[in-house]
Amino acid sequence: MEKLEIGLAGNPNVGKSTLFNGLTGMRQHVGNWPGKTVEKKEGTFKYNDYEIKVVDLPGNYSLTAYSIEEIVSRDYIVDEHPDVIVNIVEAANLERNLYLTVQMLELGANVVLALNMNKAADDKGYKINADKLSKLLGIPVVKFEAIDDTGREELLQTIVKASKSPNNVINRLEYGSEIDEHIGQLEKIVNEDISGIDAPSSWIALKLMEDDDEVVEKIKESGKGQRVLSEAKKIRGHLSGIFGDDADAAITDARYGFIAGLMQESVKKPKIDKVTRSDLIDRIVTNKYLGIPIFLLIMWLTFQITFTIGDPLGGYIEEGFGLLGEAITASLGEGFLTSFLVDGIIGGVGGVLVFVPIIFLLFLILSVLEDSGYLARAAFVMDRFMHKLVGLHGKSFIPMILGFGCAVPGIMATRTLENERDRFLTMLIVPFMSCSARLPVYTLIVAAFFTAYQGWVIFSLYLLGIVVAIIVASIFKKTIFKGMSAPFVMELPPYRLPTVKGAIIHMWERGVLFLRKAGTIILAVSIIIWALSSLPIGVDYASQESVTGQIGTALSPIFAPLGFGEWQATVAIIYGFLAKEVVVSTFGILYGVGEEATTEEDAGFIAAIQSLFTPLSAYAYLVFVLLYIPCLATLATIKRETNSWKWPAFAAGYTFVVAYMVSFIVFQGGSLLGFA
Amino acid sequence: MEVTKTMINTLNELKVGDSGVVVSFKGKGSLRKHLMEMGFVKGANVEVQRVAPMGDPIEIKVKGYSISLRKEEAKNIEIEIV
């Protein structure tokens, strides 16, 4: 079996992931690019006698060094020498898509051009002559559909064929005689002086003329670059004299000029653009008066669907775990092992699995919103608000929405923000979005104290999280992130009907991500809690004499001014740091109802909680749980995304202070106003 | 001989439905480069399609697709209205 490696490249929103999923199915591996914070997806599949490894490159508009993603893609093509680069392009948006294609050809990549979503191009009245385009570019051009199998076989045949006879079409690219001449001139010096850079010398010459920081740096490192660099500088000066603009602008113009030539020859467009379905939808969805109500309606629907369907499903899982605990107790009898299994493991993990339906549903809806193109409109509609109020990008809204599901994918989604400091600021406030792991804490305590106003109390917490995030962001914007502003440059892709398969894979990926971290962390935490609650040997399980009880008792006075100075409340807070939903299972274990799971229907458990708090202190406690230190998994994600311990440490420290302050205000203010 | 009067405006001044051609792009830096790569090159046709409900950002059609940008980012792009 012969091995091949192909890279999937293309602009964002062109169906790259759809093809990747279609080719590799579940044989995928998600990791990171070496030394980078960018996610790397790989997979393999078999085709005839070939075992083909597929690498999904980040979605890029260009291969300049504008973002880390662009550098990752560029380095992959240069360093890894994939047999074929499959460049997926959106047929209805060919002109801009070809800009990336041209840059990959400059790099000497063996490109197969795959035209996707041809139906949409037909609808717009575009007639694309693939053969003509193929002849002009000198590379294979295939029409296919990523969402089904249309053209898949031809695409695969073409890929295999291209791997046997690589295309090198650098000479076909034209930038106009002036620029072409200087590329040749500089290329000659590069060939003479520079060795050890594994990229076409014409590309190096072109990048130097564009004054590309990365390439200039590499040339400097090579030690023999003085002549090349000074010549490049001279050429840049010369070109800007001729074009009346920077050399890199002239080169960008020239690339689009070359593409305009290709378009002229191979694509027929109607004289007047047809009004598309997307246009019609946008007239309503981004309408001056309807845009914001529609946005709010969709957010409201998201939560209604998630919880009205998700809650009953969670109930079934809950029952299942209850039965499992009973079965274990029945077969093993009371004892040390039973206590470990039922109190430690089932009590902890069961408390998480109960919320699996909610999390999966939420991610399903979010992925539909994303794939349909609506999330980009949400950012468009909300940008002014975000920008004026907190100085953030409309795109920051997306990570924050995801944060309502779980802060971990929310923080991962900050990758869509190009400006690094904007990204960091968004990461710092995403944990204030009330994630689904906090919901069990709310439902438990709300059921004990606020039966008449359950929905409103929970809603107020969500709202409070948002308000605190806004206030904190505007403070940071004026202090540690002073003087920054990220541009709002975002494509509004055409609306598309999301595919069931795409939405499910999306949901599955994110859901499993939550489960994996929940599964491991929660299990570990449950065992630690169980052990600390059982030690020193001889104490009653989870009594005040246990290690847990002692730690809680020692720290509890700190929280007395917030209304919850009892040791049980403090212990739950301590373990909630490891994962917020553990607050519930901690109560469960502390009150010895772990095996029943911790439900609002359990009268004994509810009574125990009621003895611990007053309604006011219960609310202050909920506020504290909402705002205090993000869970360990969130902090670990922040660490990974910022590649530094500084940010997670800062996030942990400042959120504790904020939580303490707000809870203090709620409790003391509430007391002054006569609440109890 | 008749001289046709051309109107030069910056992109942020255009109203919904206005269209024109990019004549120059002022300023420097990576944002400018990025926007040029997204299609705002000299001679490109642009059309203002929409303004967000709160008055900013704006949606522009360029190179056959839709992109949104804030007015403050659009003000460096000079357009000849046609």
Side-chain angles (χ1 to χ4, degrees):
Chain A
M1 189 148 284
E2 201 177 326
K3 287 189 176 174
L4 289 180
E5 178 169 337
I6 64 175
L8 299 187
N11 290 181
N13 312 307
V14 295
K16 227 159 45 65
S17 307
T18 312
L19 177 63
F20 181 74
N21 290 333
L23 289 175
T24 62
M26 284 289 153
R27 293 173 304 279
Q28 301 185 0
H29 171 75
V30 183
N32 269 34
W33 291 89
K36 297 282 195 306
T37 53
V38 181
E39 198 171 78
K40 181 182 189 182
K41 274 191 188 174
E42 294 180 345
T44 52
F45 69 99
K46 288 189 173 66
Y47 172 69
N48 295 344
D49 290 333
Y50 298 91
E51 187 183 301
I52 302 179
K53 177 178 162 190
V54 195
V55 177
D56 193 17
L57 295 173
N60 296 132
Y61 292 108
S62 163
L63 289 182
T64 46
Y66 184 73
S67 67
I68 314 165
E69 284 77 8
E70 295 184 353
I71 295 170
V72 162
S73 300
R74 194 157 105 174
D75 289 350
Y76 172 75
I77 294 172
V78 174
D79 299 333
E80 304 296 323
H81 298 293
D83 294 294
V84 178
I85 287 285
V86 182
N87 179 195
I88 298 144
V89 300
E90 186 190 343
N93 191 358
L94 194 55
E95 194 169 1
R96 197 210 58 219
N97 275 249
L98 284 173
Y99 190 82
L100 178 72
T101 312
V102 167
Q103 293 199 318
M104 287 192 293
L105 295 176
E106 286 168 358
L107 256 182
N110 184 24
V111 175
V112 168
L113 200 65
L115 300 180
N116 190 19
M117 303 184 218
N118 297 285
K119 173 85 172 55
D122 291 344
D123 291 345
K124 275 175 107 177
Y126 291 8
K127 289 200 171 55
I128 301 171
N129 186 337
D131 291 339
K132 193 76 188 275
L133 190 60
S134 169
K135 284 207 182 73
L136 290 168
L137 278 168
I139 57 172
V141 177
V142 183
K143 286 187 182 179
F144 85 114
E145 296 301 325
I147 52 162
D148 52 36
D149 289 338
T150 311
R152 175 84 50 91
E153 181 63 26
E154 194 197 342
L155 178 61
L156 291 171
Q157 277 173 12
T158 311
I159 290 168
V160 169
K161 215 168 120 195
S163 73
K164 301 293 160 213
S165 52
N167 308 288
N168 195 328
V169 295
I170 290 175
N171 297 332
R172 282 176 188 257
L173 305 171
E174 288 165 10
Y175 306 90
S177 55
E178 184 67 35
I179 294 173
D180 284 342
E181 188 189 310
H182 291 296
I183 294 173
Q185 181 192 342
L186 195 57
E187 185 185 353
K188 211 172 130 244
I189 310 173
V190 171
N191 279 332
E192 284 165 15
D193 287 8
I194 307 293
S195 58
I197 296 184
D198 203 2
S201 49
S202 60
W203 180 76
I204 296 173
L206 193 64
K207 286 290 138 185
L208 290 173
M209 284 159 64
E210 286 186 283
D211 205 12
D212 182 289
D213 294 339
E214 282 265 310
V215 175
V216 168
E217 205 48 48
K218 274 189 185 160
I219 297 291
K220 276 186 188 154
E221 279 167 19
S222 76
K224 285 171 71 186
Q226 294 87 344
R227 193 160 72 110
V228 176
L229 290 173
S230 75
E231 187 63 24
K233 197 175 169 200
K234 229 163 53 189
I235 293 172
R236 283 203 302 272
H238 174 71
L239 288 178
S240 71
I242 288 175
F243 292 103
D245 205 340
D246 293 345
D248 66 325
I251 291 168
T252 303
D253 274 347
R255 284 198 191 100
Y256 268 114
F258 175 68
I259 293 165
L262 296 173
M263 295 292 288
Q264 189 85 42
E265 297 282 319
S266 57
V267 182
K268 279 205 186 92
K269 284 185 185 182
K271 282 223 170 62
I272 299 163
D273 287 330
K274 288 186 187 172
V275 175
T276 60
R277 201 178 39 148
S278 281
D279 269 327
L280 295 174
I281 298 172
D282 267 338
R283 277 180 201 172
I284 299 163
V285 164
T286 64
N287 177 280
K288 189 171 179 183
Y289 303 104
L290 296 175
I292 295 167
I294 288 174
F295 169 77
L296 294 175
L297 179 71
I298 288 177
M299 292 301 115
W300 182 80
L301 275 177
T302 303
F303 278 88
Q304 282 303 311
I305 295 170
T306 307
F307 297 125
T308 51
I309 301 177
D311 273 342
L313 289 175
Y316 297 131
I317 294 179
E318 208 163 11
E319 276 171 34
F321 269 83
L323 292 175
L324 183 65
E326 281 170 27
I328 289 173
T329 312
S331 65
L332 294 178
E334 299 285 342
F336 188 77
L337 182 66
T338 309
S339 166
F340 172 72
L341 287 176
V342 176
D343 297 333
I345 294 179
I346 294 178
V349 174
V352 180
L353 291 182
V354 162
F355 297 93
V356 163
I358 289 179
I359 288 161
F360 271 62
L361 273 170
L362 187 64
F363 285 143
L364 181 69
I365 296 168
L366 287 173
S367 80
V368 167
L369 291 180
E370 196 172 4
D371 295 348
S372 66
Y374 182 73
L375 273 190
R377 271 70 183 187
F380 179 71
V381 168
M382 297 308 292
D383 180 67
R384 171 90 171 166
F385 175 79
M386 294 296 286
H387 191 56
K388 278 283 157 195
L389 207 61
V390 286
L392 273 172
H393 191 285
K395 268 189 190 171
S396 296
F397 217 89
I398 299 168
M400 286 168 79
I401 292 169
L402 291 173
F404 287 114
C406 174
V408 170
I411 284 162
M412 288 175 168
T414 60
R415 292 165 186 206
T416 54
L417 291 153
E418 277 109 8
N419 182 298
E420 193 172 64
R421 297 214 279 171
D422 233 0
R423 198 157 67 216
F424 289 175
L425 178 51
T426 308
M427 275 182 214
L428 288 179
I429 61 170
V430 162
F432 287 137
M433 301 301 107
S434 192
C435 69
S436 50
R438 275 169 250 196
L439 198 63
V441 190
Y442 302 163
T443 40
L444 171 69
I445 290 181
V446 162
F449 292 97
F450 307 103
T451 32
Y453 302 101
Q454 291 200 10
W456 287 106
V457 171
I458 293 178
F459 183 71
S460 75
L461 289 163
Y462 278 89
L463 204 63
L464 180 70
I466 297 169
V467 171
V468 169
I470 289 169
I471 295 170
V472 164
S474 57
I475 293 171
F476 282 166
K477 198 79 186 186
K478 292 189 182 88
T479 52
I480 51 174
F481 295 114
K482 210 173 170 180
M484 55 170 278
S485 184
F488 186 75
V489 179
M490 183 183 68
E491 183 181 2
L492 294 166
Y495 287 99
R496 288 176 192 128
L497 209 58
T499 62
V500 175
K501 191 181 169 189
I504 286 175
I505 288 183
H506 225 98
M507 171 195 81
W508 186 252
E509 242 174 42
R510 293 181 189 186
V512 167
L513 190 78
F514 174 84
L515 271 188
R516 225 193 282 150
K517 68 132 191 159
T520 48
I521 295 177
I522 304 305
L523 189 61
V525 175
S526 300
I527 293 167
I528 292 168
I529 291 177
W530 177 82
L532 290 181
S533 305
S534 307
L535 293 171
I537 292 165
V539 296
D540 277 344
Y541 179 77
S543 66
Q544 200 170 5
E545 289 73 39
S546 69
V547 178
T548 328
Q550 288 174 27
I551 296 172
T553 308
L555 293 179
S556 58
I558 298 174
F559 299 106
L562 312 185
F564 44 90
E566 295 75 14
W567 65 274
Q568 295 95 330
T570 309
V571 168
I573 283 172
I574 294 168
Y575 290 109
F577 157 68
L578 294 155
K580 297 229 169 168
E581 59 273 41
V582 175
V583 169
V584 172
S585 45
T586 305
F587 278 129
I589 290 174
L590 290 177
Y591 289 106
V593 292
E595 76 273 17
E596 284 297 321
T598 46
T599 76
E600 51 267 39
E601 281 107 47
D602 190 303
F605 188 45
I606 291 295
I609 297 291
Q610 279 168 341
S611 69
L612 199 55
F613 299 104
T614 66
L616 180 62
S617 72
Y619 192 73
Y621 192 69
L622 288 178
V623 168
F624 192 84
V625 169
L626 163 71
L627 300 175
Y628 86 117
I629 308 181
C631 71
L632 193 62
T634 304
L635 292 177
T637 313
I638 296 177
K639 196 265 159 190
R640 213 183 71 168
E641 293 293 322
T642 59
N643 211 13
S644 139
W645 280 109
K646 192 179 92 184
W647 292 107
F650 178 71
Y654 99 87
T655 50
F656 185 85
V657 173
V658 168
Y660 197 93
M661 278 164 41
V662 179
S663 292
F664 184 86
I665 292 167
V666 165
F667 183 71
Q668 297 296 340
S671 301
L672 284 177
L673 292 173
F675 293 102
Chain B
M1 207 169 81
E2 215 177 87
V3 181
T4 44
K5 219 171 125 191
T6 58
M7 269 182 48
I8 307 284
N9 284 74
T10 53
L11 183 56
N12 61 310
E13 294 167 345
L14 268 59
K15 305 226 164 5
V16 173
D18 284 352
S19 60
V21 174
V22 176
V23 286
S24 76
F25 198 144
K26 290 183 179 162
K28 293 247 174 273
S30 63
L31 174 62
R32 175 175 185 255
K33 169 95 175 167
H34 184 56
L35 280 172
M36 290 188 76
E37 295 192 314
M38 296 300 279
F40 291 95
V41 290
K42 265 177 225 165
N45 291 306
V46 294
E47 185 191 332
V48 178
Q49 287 188 300
R50 249 172 291 281
V51 176
M54 288 179 257
D56 200 21
I58 50 176
E59 181 183 336
I60 310 290
K61 191 169 189 183
V62 61
K63 299 281 173 195
Y65 78 101
S66 298
I67 187 169
S68 69
L69 56 165
R70 293 194 191 116
K71 285 181 172 171
E72 62 184 85
E73 290 144 16
K75 71 178 183 217
N76 284 326
I77 305 175
E78 294 197 319
I79 306 293
E80 186 184 322
I81 294 179
V82 289

